[in-house]
Amino acid sequence: MLTVSNDEFWEDVTPVNFGSLPRLQDGVTVVGYPIGGDTILLTSGVVSRIEVTSYVHGATELLGVQIDAAINGGNSGGPAFNDRGECVGIAFQSLKHEDAENIGYVVPTPVIDHFITDYVRNNDYTGFPILGIEWQKMENPDLRKALGMKSTKNGVRIRRVEPTAPAFAQLRASDILMSFDGIDIANDGTVPFRHGERIGFSYLVSKKYSGECAKVKILRDGKSKEFDIDLVNHKRLVHQGEATVVLHTGRHRVCGHLRTLSSLRGGHQKKCLLIGGRGVEFGGGFNLLNYGKDYDYDAPVKLLDKLLHSMSQSEDEQLVVVSQVLVADINIGYEDIVNTQVVWFNGIPVRNLKHLATLVEKCTDPFLWFDLDYQQVLVLETQAAKAATPEILATHCIPSAMSHDLKI
C-alpha cells in the first residue's frame, strides 16, 4: 500500500473506479509500458475464461481472468479497463508456450477488493485463508462405489490434511467433502458460480478472511457429519520474499519474488548461517535465485517437490539446506554439495535454522555431523571448524557468521 505525503500530488487527479467481475466476451483494454518503446501502450481483447488459476507470484490459486489481449514484460501491474472505463483487473502474468498466443491473465476486482478489505480490517495484509486440505475428484464410478457413495451424493475425496491447519483435528484422509458453507460441491470439485457457470470450490474459501469460520459437510464411513472449521493462512514449508527473480514454471513467465539463500556478503543480511566458521552456508528456505527462465528444468527436483507438495508438520518447521560450501582447507571434498537439505545434526532431527544454530553453538561433541538428503553426510571436527571462522569470514568478505535473527 503506497501513498504520497504531499497532498498537492492529488490535485487534479481523477481516481480509477473499480468495476464488477466481467463476463465472457466482454471487451478489455490493458494499459502498460511493455518492451518495445518508452511511451504508454494499449492492447485490446476480450475475456476468454474466468476460473480459479495458478498465481505464480504467490504459488497459490485464486480467481483469475484470462484475456486474449497481449501482455508482455512491463505490463505487469497495469490496469485492465472495460468498455465503460472501469478497472476490472490488474495484469500480472501471461502464458508462454509455442502452441499458444495472446493468453494473458489479470487479477480481478474481487481479489483486489479482498486485499483492500483485509488491510482495512487488520491494518495489515494477512493474506487469503485456506481450508488446509488436498483433494481428489470423485468422478470415477468405481471409486465412488468403493467409498460407499450413493448416486445421490456428490463431493470430493480428501487426500491429505495440513498437520498445522485447524481442520487437522476434525477432517481425515478419505473423508468425502460434500459442501462448503451450505453450497454443494460436485464430483469434479466445482460449485455454482454465475448463471450457467461453475468454478472450483476453492473460490469459496478465498472469499473468506483469515480467522473466519466455515461450515463443512463430509461423508465418513457412509455417515454425514458437519464441522465448523477455522480458516487460517497457509503455513508454507518453503517461504517466499526478499529477492526478485525472473522464473519460468513451464506455463507462466513472470517476475516473481523468492527468498534467496545467498551469503551474507556485502552486508545484505539474509536468513543464513555460517556453521562454526567452516564455510558452509545454510538457509531457511529455497535457493531458486540462479535458475532464471529454465527454473523448471534446472532447479533441484526434490526441492521443487517440497515447494509444491510438502506440508509443515509443526508450526516452527522450516526447510534447511546447504546453499554452498565456501573455499577453505577444512572443507576439502565437500565442494560439490549444493542446495541439499539438512535432515539431522548429531543424531537430532533439524526443525529449523534457529534450531540448528542452537545445536551447533552448544555442541560439545568432537565432531559436527550433518546428515543430508540423498544419504550424504558432512562431518567436521568441532574445534577446528570453530577456530576457522575468522579466517573464512575475512576471505569471503562476510561481516557475520549468522544473520541477526539467529543469534542466540
Side-chain angles (χ1 to χ4, degrees):
M1 301 289 285
L2 302 178
T3 188
V4 178
S5 57
N6 189 346
D7 292 338
E8 293 181 3
F9 175 87
W10 305 107
E11 294 180 2
D12 299 323
V13 172
T14 302
V16 170
N17 293 319
F18 286 122
S20 59
L21 185 69
R23 293 189 173 273
L24 296 178
Q25 293 298 309
D26 279 359
V28 290
T29 299
V30 180
V31 181
Y33 294 89
I35 56 176
D38 297 325
T39 58
I40 196 168
L41 178 70
L42 306 179
T43 55
S44 298
V46 299
V47 174
S48 51
R49 182 180 290 160
I50 299 175
E51 63 180 356
V52 175
T53 190
S54 174
Y55 277 45
V56 178
H57 289 81
T60 189
E61 293 189 345
L62 295 170
L63 183 67
V65 174
Q66 179 181 318
I67 62 177
D68 64 2
I71 293 181
N72 298 297
N75 270 121
S76 293
F81 294 101
N82 60 19
D83 294 338
R84 297 183 296 277
E86 299 170 326
C87 178
V88 294
I90 297 174
F92 76 110
Q93 67 185 25
S94 61
L95 176 63
K96 299 298 183 183
H97 192 279
E98 59 183 6
D99 295 328
E101 294 181 358
N102 289 357
I103 297 181
Y105 297 88
V106 299
V107 180
T109 48
V111 177
I112 300 170
D113 287 338
H114 187 285
F115 168 81
I116 296 173
T117 303
D118 180 23
Y119 190 90
V120 171
R121 289 173 53 164
N122 301 289
N123 199 31
D124 195 7
Y125 173 64
T126 64
F128 290 81
I130 63 166
L131 182 56
I133 65 169
E134 291 184 354
W135 54 274
Q136 174 184 357
K137 295 179 179 180
M138 291 289 294
E139 296 174 302
N140 185 277
D142 291 338
L143 177 60
R144 291 171 50 80
K145 184 177 180 180
L147 293 178
M149 288 186 67
K150 299 179 180 179
S151 58
T152 56
K153 301 288 186 181
N154 294 301
V156 295
R157 174 182 173 269
I158 296 176
R159 295 194 292 122
R160 295 194 297 171
V161 185
E162 292 267 10
T164 58
F168 189 75
Q170 298 160 302
L171 303 181
R172 304 175 188 171
S174 285
D175 283 348
I176 308 301
L177 180 62
M178 297 191 296
S179 71
F180 182 92
D181 270 353
I183 300 177
D184 291 338
I185 301 173
N187 293 325
D188 63 353
T190 63
V191 293
F193 183 42
R194 297 186 295 195
H195 181 70
E197 298 179 71
R198 299 188 67 85
I199 198 168
F201 82 91
S202 61
Y203 166 68
L204 301 179
V205 183
S206 69
K207 291 174 63 178
K208 310 281 279 189
Y209 293 88
S210 295
E212 290 187 340
C213 185
K215 184 178 291 294
V216 301
K217 184 177 180 181
I218 66 164
L219 183 69
R220 179 184 298 166
D221 299 327
K223 298 180 180 179
S224 297
K225 296 179 179 290
E226 290 189 354
F227 297 105
D228 291 323
I229 296 180
D230 294 329
L231 303 177
V232 296
N233 289 344
H234 193 182
K235 167 63 176 152
R236 293 188 181 278
L237 181 62
V238 178
H239 299 278
Q240 61 179 34
E242 293 189 1
T244 300
V245 298
V246 175
L247 59 89
H248 180 74
T249 66
R251 290 193 62 208
H252 305 105
R253 181 182 176 87
V254 302
C255 182
H257 301 278
L258 295 171
R259 168 165 295 165
T260 73
L261 300 184
S262 58
S263 71
L264 307 178
R265 295 183 181 87
H268 295 290
Q269 294 279 338
K270 307 296 183 183
K271 188 180 286 292
C272 296
L273 174 65
L274 191 72
I275 296 293
R278 60 190 172 83
V280 180
E281 298 176 85
F282 288 82
F286 229 112
N287 189 357
L288 299 179
L289 176 65
N290 300 318
Y291 300 110
K293 67 179 182 179
D294 295 323
Y295 157 89
D296 53 331
Y297 296 102
D298 295 339
V301 173
K302 291 194 73 171
L303 293 185
L304 286 174
D305 178 70
K306 294 179 187 298
L307 171 67
L308 297 173
H309 302 295
S310 292
M311 296 179 174
S312 297
Q313 301 300 307
S314 62
E315 287 294 332
D316 64 349
E317 184 179 5
Q318 180 185 59
L319 193 69
V320 178
V321 303
V322 178
S323 174
Q324 66 183 108
V325 177
L326 301 181
V327 175
D329 291 341
I330 198 170
N331 294 324
I332 291 175
Y334 297 141
E335 297 86 356
D336 294 335
I337 299 178
V338 179
N339 294 338
T340 305
Q341 183 181 357
V342 183
V343 184
W344 300 73
F345 171 74
N346 284 10
I348 301 175
V350 176
R351 297 197 311 269
N352 52 54
L353 194 57
K354 183 67 177 286
H355 180 225
L356 178 61
T358 303
L359 292 175
V360 171
E361 284 295 309
K362 296 182 177 180
C363 179
T364 58
D365 294 345
F367 293 100
L368 303 174
W369 184 297
F370 300 88
D371 285 285
L372 312 179
D373 210 353
Y374 305 104
Q375 288 73 50
Q376 295 186 86
V377 295
L378 194 156
V379 182
L380 295 166
E381 189 175 17
T382 304
Q383 294 303 321
K386 293 183 178 181
T389 298
E391 180 181 352
I392 294 175
L393 293 177
T395 299
H396 297 277
C397 301
I398 300 175
S400 175
M402 65 179 69
S403 51
H404 180 75
D405 58 335
L406 298 180
K407 293 181 179 179
I408 302 172

